[in-house]
Each structure stands twice: as structure tokens, then as C-alpha cells.
Amino acid sequence: MMEKTFDPREAETRLYTSWESSGAFKPKEDPEADPFCIVIPPPNVTGRLHIGHALNNTLQDVLIRYKRMLGDSVLWQPGTDHAGIATQMVVERQLAAEGNISRRDMGRDAFVERVWEWKAESGGEIMGQLRRLGASCDWSRERFTLDDGLSAAVQKVFIELHQQGLMYRDKRLVNWDPHFQTAISDLEVENREVQGHFWHFAYPLADGSGELVVATTRPETVLGDAAVAVHPDDERYQHLIGKMIRLPIADVEIPIVADEHADPEQGTGCVKITPAHDFNDFEVGKRHDLPKINLLDREARFLTEDDGTGGLDRIPAEWRGLDRFEVRKLLVARMDELGLLRQVEDKLVMQPFGDRSNVVIEPWLTDQWYVDAATLAKDAITAVEDGRTTFHPKNWEKTYFEWMRNIQPWCVSRQLWWGHRIPAWYDADGEVYVAEDEAAALEQARAKHGRDVALTQDEDVLDTWFSSALWPFSTLGWPEETPELARFYPTSVLITAFDIIFFWVARMMMQGLHFMGEVPFKDIYIHALVRDEHGQKMSKSKGNVIDPLELIDEYGADAVRFTLAAQAGQGRDIRMSKDRVEGYRNFTTKLWNAARFCEMNECKPDAGFDPTSVTQTVNRWILSECEQTVKAVNAGLDGFRFNEAAAAAYRFVWNVFCDWHLELAKPLFMGDDEEAKAETRATTAFVLDQALKILHPFMPFVTEELWAQTGTRDTQLITAAWPQLDGLTDPDAQAEMDWLIGLVTDLRRLRAEMNIPPGAQLDVAVIGASDETRARLERQDTLIKRMARLASVTPSDSAPQASAQTVVGEATFALLLAGVIDFEAEGARIGKEIAKLDGEIKRLEGKLGNERFIANAPEALVAEQREKLADYATQRVKMVEALERLAAM
């Protein structure tokens, strides 16, 4: 006998262990089975499961379980990313807590060894958390971006790109984090709007004939100016193009250049150009061959030593070694003393911060390693244009193309110790030798110099995005020619977030095409953001972050998964709340109770059951509904419309199977017709099995538990065959049962609106019934009376007095109310309800008509108030209709 309730806490760990130990997560070895592969977006080894991870991995697991049940050979490839900065930061904090030890005190080798120790003890916690979510990855194949195989792949790619001229060293601007003292990617930069200023400075013309006024948000960079730019069509300044300006404080002359970067509509139309400290200025500097004058060191302090750019000579001696923001104050004060400060304008400005260091990021000129991304991007653009890879939703292709067609060189070096060390060595002259190891590099140097020379390995490591760009093929064993690589590359689908289209998706496309000659995946599904219940983006500062692990503890993994999948519509953000999760937990309870009802009524799976042979209308109807639901779920999942698939399954199980079929089947279960009873039991058990199957990808735990408890099975549900239903659609049965359900629903609604006592058995007169309706009334007489609580259903020539009426099809059904309700009291009650609704409607109309409220209230609150107003208006219409019915009696 089944337990009264499903206990997720007890069942989830037990069921997951049983799946994993049985090998259910491994790909099917059948060579005839179609391969299906998803590589997991590798979470940081420092990571903890957040709501975005929960969404991403739920959707992956839905597809994985669906394809596995369809009979494909399925591989969900798991793994973690070494997360250079994040991991190094964790260990450095530990060292500081242990006695203020720095990594530089330890030395590189000892520090890296300490990080590996941390990884062995604490890294990868998130993979255990993914198990709690139900992720059915093949954990036996788990990879790590620094494991031996992936490291070999990274080294091979670096060396080959260098040999092909696509990997090179260059001095360019990077996002520099002065705290970690490393270059970082754009993804690791958080642009925030902060209160700042525009300082307006006068730059005197060198010939003494006047001045130009420029505005800047970063006065400390003035000393690095290489030019002032004006727009070539700006008539105010055309006569000055080519003339020189005397740069204040530095006391050097710089040119006035014509460049479209200068906007005549912004400020004075004159723009200071500092190529070594601004990304836009760097490009202007290249166009006009301007010097790149650096002012800062690694810590964003002003230089104390000559770096060869000429910046040291421009810095007053007393400012050398000072922090950039301290120099800012000094420079503004000096410009004021010189009479060159024209205006200080308060202004909100966008300022870049390191997402982990929380310090202001500095565009800084350094020597770094770069990939020629523009060359690699060409094939990756073509692959999306010709349909080899398709984005879902399609509109993300535009974002992809805009990025790829304007792509810049990719900086891949990082000034860290944790990561793939760059396989490059330098001799005393700075010549570089890229090789597999030091011995090979020495051999290259010997060939060049004709003698042995001392070499020093590059101190930098590679950006973590470089190794993760190889993920779809390196995890499958490349550069070795493994069976997995041959079978599962290209992978089938990538599911990821929109914010890493540039940083990960595009780079996997480039590297996959370049090194494998094929796209890394055929479909890319970009999922939306998970927001709070009011549509606000989650953040710690707002206090609205939802922890999926806490939700799993409270409501179970199935409810969390279904909540996410049911809202995963293409292009629509997801609103997450405990109420929604609780609602889907109630769905698991509904399913459990339905299965218990089936058990109590001896509905057991019958291996010999032929669904095409049933005769009872209710059974033909539920099988027809079941077939159509399976097709709807298939269409939804095949088209990456997860919400539509989940909605189809939910509607069928809750509304069709539980609410109607089981009610409609009760008279047959309790009747004397043994043949009908047996058919209905077998049909109900069969349909319950199909329901468990289509729900399994979304709600794997409760469905697997019910699969085990509702019959003797040869296999677990996770590896059971997906429903293959055909020939069960029955238009006649559906039409009759839809008519019956519509009739009962309308009669129940009338009873509720007229406040009829639940136990009252009413008579119904049927006016204008066709022969077909009369036949249906005769066939379904018992069900109609039972479900609508009726004493009789009788055809009539006219509508009786004192009746509430509804029209179903061509016939009018009149509930006879004489002697059942007090018409006067009921009229008074409905009048009070209408008056109460009028008050609420007036209050909300006033609120929503207030322009101040609309302008200042959060968008989510305004939408909520509008929704309430619409609900009240609908309720009022129904109450007025009920009152009119009473008045007509």
C-alpha cells in the first residue's frame, strides 16, 4: 500500500543513488542509437548553486531525460572550470586568515600546490548540489579545465595558433585590475553609475592665440594626453586643425587633430586624446600615429621608473608614486592655480569596477598575448548564416553577428599563478620561443643562436575562457582520437545564458570550427533571466536573492524544477517566488493522490492491454487526450519551448486526468459491468504510466517513485521508453466528453453564483435539445446527475419560471430553483457583493488614474494593480448576470 504522502527528503537521495549506481546516466552503447550530447557550461570550481544555475541545468536535464527515454545514446558531459581569479582569491583569503601570508611570500610552486589542496578538499561543491537538483550527468566522465587531458589540449591549441600567426604578443590597452594586478575580461567588469564630475580645462594654443576647452571625468590622465581632437566638419575649429597646444603642467606641445570620434554636440566639441589610458583614444591614436604615453604602474600609482613611453618625464617629481585618485585632486588644484579650471560639472558617470576586487578598473597599456579573433570569427559567422548552428530564440543571432563582425583581438594572458601557464620562453634579448616544454624551447633557441642560451618562462597564465572555449571537444578526449569524440562531436545542443554569448559561445564556435572543422553544437538555446516575483533582477543589495537549495529543502527538487521549466518561454524572463514553487509542490501532491486513488481502485498496468481496443467513451476520450498531450510535449521539447511542453503535461495531468477522468471513471469502478470495470482499470493504469513518462523529464523524483510503486517493472522510469502513441485520437469521444465537461462545469458555476447549498439535489429542464444532445443525455445521464448533483434531467418545451439558465451547444439548461433558495435574501447578498466590488474598482481606478503613482511606483506594482482591477471587473460582470437572473424569476 502506498504511503499517504511523498517525502522528497527521504526519496531524492535514495533515488538519485539508485540511478547513478545502475549506470542510467551513461550513454547507451547501441551503435544504432542516435547520439545526443550536451556539454554542461562548466561552473566555477568555487561556485555554489544559484537560481541561474538551477534554471540552466534543469532545462539541460529535461532534454537529456527526454532524449534518453526516446532511445538515443545520450551523453551529458559534466565538469568544472578552474576559475583563475575566483579560486586564487579564495586561497589568498585563507592564507591571510592564517597569518597574513601572501602568495608571493610562499612562491609560485608552493602557492599552486596549496590551491590544488584546496580544490581536492573543497572545490567542486556545486557538483554535489547539481545532484540534489536531479542532474543526470555521466559523472564517470567528469572533467576539470586543469586536468591532464584538457591541459594537453590547451597547450596544443596555443602552439598551433602561434605557428599559424593567429597567436601573438602585443602592447595594447586592457582592463587592468589594480587589486589583483592582472588583465581581466569585459565579463569581469561591472559598469556602475556613480556620482562624478566633468572638469572643464582650458588648453592654451602654443602660439598664444587662444585656447581650447576640454572636459574630462578623469583629470589624472591629462598628463598622458597626446592630442586634442575636433570633428573634421566642425566649422568652429577647422582653422585650428594641425596647430599645436601647450599641454598644461607637462609643458609639452601636442597637436590638434581632426577625427570623427569628437562629437560637436557634446560639450565644447573638443576631446582630449590619451591613447594609453582610454580604449576609444587608443583607436584614435592608431589612426593618427600618436604616442602612447603611460602614466601608471601595476598598482595604478603614478610611475616612479621610466617605462620607455615618456610618461615619467611628464609627471612632477612630487607626484611620482602617488595613487591615481590622489593625483586627481592635486592636478585639479594645480589647474585651478594656473587659472585653467573653467568649470566643475556634477554628473552621473559610468565607472568600471572589478566584479571581484570591487576596485575601479583602469585601461592600462601592457604587453599581453592576443588571438587574432577577427580571422577566426569569419567561419563562425558563416556557420550561423548558413544554418549549421541555429540560435533559439532566433533574435540572438543579431547579437552574435554584431559582436563577431566587430570583434577585437582577444587578450588571453592573465597575470595570475593559478591556471594554464603560457608555453612561451624568452631569452635575454626578449625573443620568444613557444613550445611544449622548456627542452623544446631550448632546442629552438639553440637553432637560432647556434649555442645554448638561458631561457625564462612567461610568468602569465591563460584566461580561463581560453580553456573553456575548447570544452565541446577537449572534454571528449581531443587531441586524442577517442571513440567519444567520433560519436558525440559535434554536440547536439548548448543551453546557456545570454551574457556569455561573446565570451564563451562565440569562442567555442571559433575554436571548434578551426580545430575540428565542424561547429561545436547544432542548436544554441539562450535562456532568460530569473527575476523575483515582482520582476526585479535579483541582487544581494536588494535582499531578493532566492536560494534554490533552500527551496529544494522546503518544497522538493521536483517543484523547483517544474516552476523553472513551466516559465521558460523563449524571450521571457522568469518570475520566481515561493508561492509558485508551493503551487507546483501541490501538483506533486495531486499526482501522488491520483496514483493512490488508482491503487485503491485496482488500476494495475497490464502488459497485454491494447489501447486501440477500448469501447467505453470515457476511456476512448482519455486515450485521445493522452495521445494529443504526448504530441504537444514532443513539439514543445523539440522546439525548445519548455514552457509549452510543461503546460501541456500539467493541463493533462491535473485538469484532464485527475479532475475529470478519475471522477468520470468512479461510476464504472463502482458499477456492476465487470467488462467495463476491467477496461477502465486497465485504461487508467495505462494513462497514469504515460503521465509519469511525460512528467519524468520535469519531475524525475516523484515520477520515478510512483513508477516503482504502481506496478512491477522491468526497468527504472529514467530508462523507460518514451510514449509512442498513434491511432488513439477519437474525435467523436472527445466531442461528447468535451460537451459533458462543459455542461457540468456550467451547471456547477450556476450553483456557485446562485449560492445553492452543496447538498441540494436540483432538477434541470432541457429546452431545444437536438436528437444528438438527447442521445448524449441518455448515455451520460448517470454521470451528469452525479457530477452536477442533480435529481433529474428532463427535456422540456419551455423555460420554467424561477430557474437559472445556461446554454451548451444548441440547448438551454435550466436549473429549477423554486423552494431551493430565498430569492429576496439572495438578491440582497448579491447586491452587497456588487457594492463592495464597486468600491474596490473605484479605489483602483483612482489610483491608476493618478499620474504621480504611475510615474513613481515600480512597474511590477502598477501591473499588479491593473490585474486586480481586471479581476474585480470580471467578478462584477458575473454578479450582475446572477442578479439579472434572479430578477427574471
Side-chain angles (χ1 to χ4, degrees), residues 60-76:
Q60 290 179 78
D61 197 40
V62 167
L63 283 186
I64 286 292
R65 289 176 182 269
Y66 169 58
K67 291 292 185 176
R68 186 184 287 126
M69 294 175 75
L70 278 173
D72 291 356
S73 179
V74 173
L75 171 61
W76 189 8

Side-chain angles (χ1 to χ4, degrees), residues 45 134 297 300 329 386 501 577 609 617 636 647 680 712 757 787 861:
V45 72
D297 66 11
K329 297 174 186 175
D386 64 22
I501 290 176
S577 70
F609 174 69
T617 304
T680 305
T712 304
M787 299 186 78
L861 178 60

Side-chain angles (χ1 to χ4, degrees), residues 187-257:
L187 188 65
E188 295 160 312
V189 176
E190 185 179 314
N191 288 298
R192 303 177 198 163
E193 193 173 56
V194 299
Q195 184 60 54
H197 306 283
F198 261 154
W199 286 271
H200 295 250
F201 297 134
Y203 284 10
L205 293 170
D207 61 9
S209 62
E211 66 182 27
L212 288 182
V213 176
V214 300
T216 181
T217 59
R218 299 163 66 214
E220 67 276 12
T221 65
V222 162
L223 299 179
D225 286 355
V228 171
V230 297
H231 195 279
D233 299 332
D234 193 333
E235 295 180 358
R236 295 172 294 174
Y237 303 118
Q238 282 189 348
H239 66 289
L240 296 178
I241 295 170
K243 288 194 172 186
M244 304 299 286
I245 277 176
R246 174 66 60 176
L247 184 65
I249 304 175
D251 197 30
V252 296
E253 291 188 4
I254 59 175
I256 299 171
V257 299

Side-chain angles (χ1 to χ4, degrees), residues 137-157:
C137 304
D138 182 357
W139 299 108
S140 69
R141 294 187 48 82
E142 185 175 348
R143 303 303 298 268
F144 178 52
T145 47
L146 283 180
D147 70 28
D148 289 343
L150 272 67
S151 294
V154 167
Q155 185 182 76
K156 180 178 176 63
V157 166

Side-chain angles (χ1 to χ4, degrees), residues 398-585:
K398 181 181 178 183
T399 303
Y400 173 82
F401 287 139
E402 285 177 356
W403 172 262
M404 296 291 270
R405 288 167 181 159
N406 297 283
I407 201 164
Q408 297 297 307
W410 173 18
C411 176
V412 295
S413 47
R414 297 290 181 267
Q415 290 64 55
L416 303 170
W417 286 355
W418 174 244
H420 295 101
R421 193 165 178 181
I422 290 176
W425 285 259
Y426 304 92
D427 62 23
D429 299 326
E431 290 288 331
V432 63
Y433 306 92
V434 172
E436 294 84 356
D437 52 33
E438 186 174 8
L442 285 168
E443 189 64 35
Q444 290 179 22
R446 189 179 300 115
K448 179 177 180 63
H449 293 282
R451 57 184 172 81
D452 288 340
V453 295
L455 297 180
T456 303
Q457 187 173 1
D458 198 308
E459 290 287 323
D460 293 349
V461 300
L462 286 162
D463 175 17
T464 52
W465 294 106
F466 188 83
S467 49
S468 58
L470 318 181
W471 194 248
F473 54 94
S474 64
T475 52
L476 297 176
W478 188 90
E480 300 297 324
E481 294 182 6
T482 63
E484 294 84 1
L485 187 65
R487 183 153 179 71
F488 292 109
Y489 190 93
T491 67
S492 307
V493 181
L494 176 74
I495 296 182
T496 190
F498 68 88
D499 56 347
I500 54 174
I501 290 176
F502 319 131
F503 302 98
W504 191 44
V505 178
R507 288 166 181 172
M508 285 190 287
M509 287 288 288
M510 290 189 286
Q511 300 288 47
L513 283 159
H514 190 72
F515 286 95
M516 297 296 297
E518 292 184 84
V519 294
F521 19 72
K522 299 165 188 173
D523 291 286
I524 302 169
Y525 176 79
I526 303 295
H527 63 70
L529 284 176
V530 184
R531 298 180 179 271
D532 71 8
E533 59 187 310
H534 304 296
Q536 299 294 311
K537 192 171 180 178
M538 292 186 195
S539 71
K540 291 179 181 177
S541 61
K542 291 179 183 176
N544 63 346
V545 172
I546 294 176
D547 186 339
L549 295 169
E550 291 178 4
L551 291 178
I552 290 172
D553 285 340
E554 189 170 356
Y555 301 106
D558 290 323
V560 174
R561 289 167 61 108
F562 205 93
T563 304
L564 292 165
Q567 298 183 78
Q570 291 190 11
R572 281 209 317 261
D573 285 346
I574 289 169
R575 292 193 179 193
M576 195 72 174
S577 70
K578 283 193 172 185
D579 288 345
R580 288 182 187 272
V581 183
E582 185 176 11
Y584 287 117
R585 192 269 310 276

Side-chain angles (χ1 to χ4, degrees), residues 610-627:
D610 178 5
T612 64
S613 67
V614 300
T615 59
Q616 297 294 317
T617 304
V618 68
N619 295 332
R620 289 159 44 217
W621 164 75
I622 192 62
L623 288 167
S624 184
E625 287 279 357
C626 187
E627 179 182 291

